[in-house]
């Protein structure tokens, strides 16, 4: 037997009217460490996360299906299901959850221009990446967005030509 982490999206036969209904719908799953959320744009769409013990992925999927389409959830339609072993779950959880971030100085170095020019472009260039996080002392940008901007930025010198 192995522990499986299951993530399922379901469509309910009718939209929920209040948050308490979600607790009623998932109460029978508490032994499985259930966590459930409602899609705020579609009150008939919910996501359920749970864990269970099964010999393999097919057995885990069948158990999850049986649990999530019976009792108070009878009539719900599973639209998406994802299964992960305990080992895969722990590996993913242990991986860095924070993306690589860079400062304007880092962006300047990568783009081969001065920090002052990058600061100017950050205020004028609509394609410049948005700030991802601001601390008390510095603005941080997603490294991948900053690198893409540096690769694709217009490096033509001078004023734009008038195309008349």
């Amino acid at each position: 037997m192995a522990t499986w982490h299951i993530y399922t999206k379901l469509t309910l036969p009718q939209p929920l009217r209040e948050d308490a209904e979600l607790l009623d719908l998932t109460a029978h799953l508490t032994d499985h460490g259930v966590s459930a959320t409602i899609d705020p744009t579609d009150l008939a769409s919910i996501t359920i996360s749970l864990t269970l013990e099964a010999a393999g992925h097919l057995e885990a999927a069948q158990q999850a299906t049986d649990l999530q389409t019976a009792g108070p959830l009878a009539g719900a339609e599973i639209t998406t299901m994802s299964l992960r072993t305990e080992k895969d779950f722990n590996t993913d959880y242990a991986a860095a959850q924070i993306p690589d971030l860079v400062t304007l100085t880092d962006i300047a170095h990568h783009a081969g221009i001065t920090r002052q020019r990058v600061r100017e472009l950050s205020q004028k260039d609509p394609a410049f990446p948005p700030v991802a996080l601001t601390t008390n002392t510095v603005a941080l940008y997603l490294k991948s967005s900053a690198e893409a901007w540096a690769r694709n930025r217009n490096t033509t010198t001078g004023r734009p030509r008038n195309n008349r």
Side-chain angles (χ1 to χ4, degrees):
M1 287 292 215
T3 301
W4 292 86
H5 294 263
I6 318 288
Y7 299 91
T8 312
K9 285 191 173 193
L10 298 103
T11 301
L12 302 172
Q14 55 192 344
L16 297 175
R17 293 181 302 276
E18 56 185 51
D19 291 349
E21 284 184 285
L22 184 59
L23 296 174
D24 295 339
L25 288 175
T26 58
H28 70 291
L29 301 172
T30 55
D31 292 342
H32 299 283
V34 68
S35 170
T37 58
I38 305 168
D39 180 343
T41 62
D42 179 5
L43 299 179
S45 180
I46 64 172
T47 302
I48 294 177
S49 168
L50 57 88
T51 59
L52 51 82
E53 298 291 322
H57 69 281
L58 293 176
E59 182 182 328
Q62 187 60 56
Q63 281 185 41
T65 300
D66 293 346
L67 284 168
Q68 295 177 87
T69 56
L73 289 170
E77 177 187 344
I78 294 175
T79 57
T80 306
M81 182 182 289
S82 168
L83 297 89
R84 296 187 327 186
T85 63
E86 180 81 1
K87 181 182 176 187
D88 290 342
F89 177 83
N90 289 334
T91 299
D92 291 347
Y93 186 76
Q97 300 293 317
I98 300 172
D100 290 335
L101 301 171
V102 294
T103 64
L104 288 177
T105 302
D106 298 323
I107 296 172
H109 178 74
H110 186 76
I113 56 179
T114 66
R115 186 176 168 280
Q116 291 77 13
R117 180 65 177 145
V118 169
R119 179 175 299 285
E120 181 182 293
L121 290 169
S122 74
Q123 296 167 358
K124 293 181 179 179
D125 184 352
F128 197 85
V131 173
L133 177 70
T134 304
T135 68
N136 287 339
T137 58
V138 69
L140 297 169
Y141 302 82
L142 289 175
K143 183 178 181 181
S144 58
S145 297
E147 288 174 345
W149 172 82
R151 249 189 335 270
N152 299 320
R153 73 185 189 89
N154 181 359
T155 58
T156 306
T157 59
R159 295 182 183 265
R161 298 188 86 175
N162 191 353
N163 295 328
R164 287 189 218 177

